[in-house]
Amino acid sequence: MKSKIHELYKTKIMSKKIIIIAILSLSIFSCANKENSNIDQLISSKNVKGLQERKATLQADIAKIEGALATLDIKKEEALVEVSTVKDTLFNHYLEVQGNVDTKENILVQPEFSGTLTSLNAKAGQKVSKGQILGKIDDGGLSQQLASLENQYALAKTTYERQKNLWDKKIGSEIQFLQAQTQMVAAQKGVAQMKAQLAKTVIRAPFSGTIDEVFVEKGQVVAPSAEGLMRIVNLGSMYVSTSVPETYIGKLKVGDQVDVFLSSLNKTYKGKVRQVGNFINPNNRSFGIEVSLPNPDNLLRPNQVAKLKIIDYTNNKAIVVPTNVVQEDGEGNKFIYTVEGSNGKTGTAKKVKVTLGKSSNNVTEIVSGLAAEDIIVTDGVNSISEGMKLNF
């Protein structure tokens, strides 16, 4: 509103000036021929007194014109602006980088055994616990082999125990005892190996999470593949990974707080740096970091794009101004217009050179040149100059 009033005010002043100049020009033009004729006559007649009187008349007219222009110039040097009082405030500068949301627990479940899928206890969207059985593969006779090996082990164990009893009584030879012991141990290992092999026919959840998608059906012949059997995701352990320029080595540490904004959700999460890389990528001179993220509302998903704001500088008592009020003169000096002699409604513009610090969120830190309680011009800075009367 003030800007519109200011423009109307300037327009009105210019209109008045144009009207006065036009009237004076018409008057001068209409009288010019007559006055020039009279002057020529006075000169030709060598009328000194008449020439002196004409000179005095012209000088009086010039004085009136200069007075009128001076009045208009004074009014032109007034401006309507908006001002603000500078205060000490907390200032944070942020490093802004882009990253991707991810989770360590996001895998494709692969079969460890090839064969026919005899049972499938999983469907998309199902929540599962670590170790839960999701399916079974036909063992191709391994269970029968295991039963046979267990019988062999039972016999070898019985033989060993009898040989041991005899050996403890000093009956029999040591070699018979050792052979019985060796046969029992070998049979025991055979049973363990077969059980381990048979366990691979059972598909279990590697961690607690949610089945995102199932790619196979019961009765299908399965084997390790690029697609896998199903995807399981745990959304409770999310993080953002990104790369940071090497100039920030030493400025970032584990535990630093990070604001993570996701445009797809229009929401900001509070995260913490959980890992700082120890390797500089020679291709882009950067190192990796990971920022852990809470996911209480279960809205985060792997591969979402995130914008990270990491505090890399803090000043608890900073003088900051809107970035757009900082001007630059022809010599490259930065300056700001302040208000001198303010009475609450008017004052005088003063050009103050300043030294700039860091900028963030459309505000700039002033290292020197301003102090708390100084009044600065925040709107209308492009239409004023030093010494101009300001209205606000």
Side-chain angles (χ1 to χ4, degrees):
M1 184 63 183
K2 288 185 176 182
S3 298
K4 290 182 179 180
I5 295 173
H6 180 57
E7 292 298 327
L8 291 172
Y9 182 64
K10 289 173 62 179
T11 303
K12 187 175 180 181
I13 291 174
M14 291 299 297
S15 299
K16 287 183 177 180
K17 182 174 179 180
I18 291 170
I19 292 171
I20 292 174
I21 293 174
I23 293 172
L24 290 173
S25 299
L26 288 172
S27 299
I28 293 171
F29 180 76
S30 61
C31 297
N33 292 332
K34 186 183 293 183
E35 289 179 350
N36 287 337
S37 176
N38 292 336
I39 292 171
D40 290 338
Q41 291 178 0
L42 291 173
I43 293 173
S44 61
S45 62
K46 298 182 181 180
N47 187 342
V48 176
K49 184 177 180 180
L51 289 171
Q52 290 176 340
E53 290 176 352
R54 179 59 63 190
K55 179 181 177 182
T57 301
L58 292 175
Q59 288 177 338
D61 290 339
I62 291 171
K64 288 180 182 180
I65 293 171
E66 289 178 346
L69 291 175
T71 302
L72 290 173
D73 288 341
I74 291 174
K75 289 182 180 179
K76 181 182 177 182
E77 292 300 321
E78 294 183 6
L80 187 63
V81 297
E82 290 184 4
V83 299
S84 177
T85 302
V86 175
K87 302 287 185 183
D88 286 337
T89 187
L90 172 66
F91 174 75
N92 290 322
H93 182 266
Y94 298 90
L95 164 66
E96 296 188 7
V97 291
Q98 184 172 293
N100 291 317
V101 178
D102 207 346
T103 175
K104 296 290 187 184
E105 298 181 336
N106 172 23
I107 67 167
L108 293 171
V109 178
Q110 296 284 358
E112 296 182 87
F113 193 83
S114 300
T116 303
L117 191 63
T118 58
S119 68
L120 182 63
N121 309 317
K123 59 182 180 180
Q126 177 183 343
K127 293 186 181 299
V128 295
S129 301
K130 182 178 180 180
Q132 181 176 333
I133 295 177
L134 305 177
K136 290 184 178 181
I137 300 171
D138 179 42
D139 59 28
L142 291 182
S143 55
Q144 287 81 6
Q145 293 181 42
L146 175 61
S148 176
L149 289 173
E150 286 177 335
N151 290 333
Q152 294 176 25
Y153 168 66
L155 177 60
K157 183 178 181 183
T158 300
T159 302
Y160 164 74
E161 289 173 349
R162 289 182 179 181
Q163 282 296 129
K164 185 176 185 301
N165 288 333
L166 292 173
W167 179 247
D168 290 341
K169 295 177 181 179
K170 305 299 181 181
I171 300 173
S173 65
E174 182 180 6
I175 191 66
Q176 290 175 320
F177 168 72
L178 292 175
Q179 285 176 344
Q181 185 182 47
T182 301
Q183 289 174 358
M184 183 196 69
V185 171
Q188 186 180 32
K189 288 183 178 179
V191 170
Q193 290 174 355
M194 185 56 65
K195 284 183 176 180
Q197 190 71 9
L198 195 59
K200 294 181 179 180
T201 65
V202 180
I203 303 164
R204 297 179 183 272
F207 51 79
S208 298
T210 303
I211 298 176
D212 188 59
E213 192 172 359
V214 178
F215 306 110
V216 294
E217 296 180 357
K218 180 181 176 181
Q220 183 176 336
V221 176
V222 296
S225 64
E227 188 177 58
L229 302 178
M230 62 194 73
R231 179 183 292 278
I232 298 182
V233 181
N234 182 2
L235 299 180
S237 181
M238 308 298 289
Y239 69 96
V240 177
S241 59
T242 188
S243 296
V244 177
E246 67 174 318
T247 53
Y248 286 89
I249 291 178
K251 296 181 181 179
L252 299 178
K253 60 183 182 297
V254 174
D256 284 351
Q257 185 170 299
V258 179
D259 289 339
V260 181
F261 177 73
L262 284 93
S263 57
S264 59
L265 302 176
N266 194 29
K267 189 172 182 179
T268 299
Y269 290 81
K270 296 291 184 181
K272 288 186 177 180
V273 177
R274 74 177 191 183
Q275 181 179 333
V276 177
N278 297 309
F279 172 75
I280 301 295
N281 187 329
N283 296 322
N284 55 15
R285 310 307 305 173
S286 66
F287 60 96
I289 65 169
E290 289 184 2
V291 178
S292 60
L293 280 182
N295 191 19
D297 43 13
N298 208 38
L299 293 176
L300 298 178
R301 297 290 185 274
N303 299 316
Q304 281 178 303
V305 177
K307 182 178 181 181
L308 286 73
K309 293 178 64 177
I310 307 171
I311 297 176
D312 63 351
Y313 170 79
T314 297
N315 187 345
N316 294 322
K317 282 192 171 183
I319 301 296
V320 297
V321 300
T323 302
N324 63 335
V325 308
V326 180
Q327 307 289 302
E328 184 176 347
D329 60 22
E331 299 177 355
N333 299 313
K334 306 294 184 181
F335 68 91
I336 292 174
Y337 283 113
T338 62
V339 180
E340 277 192 328
S342 172
N343 62 5
K345 294 183 178 180
T346 62
T348 304
K350 181 182 179 181
K351 178 180 175 181
V352 176
K353 292 182 180 180
V354 294
T355 303
L356 307 183
K358 297 180 178 292
S359 296
S360 181
N361 292 333
N362 298 319
V363 296
T364 298
E365 179 188 24
I366 304 300
V367 177
S368 64
L370 288 182
E373 304 304 323
D374 282 351
I375 302 174
I376 64 170
V377 178
T378 57
D379 189 18
V381 293
N382 295 321
S383 60
I384 63 176
S385 58
E386 186 167 20
M388 182 180 290
K389 182 180 179 182
L390 305 177
N391 298 302
F392 43 86

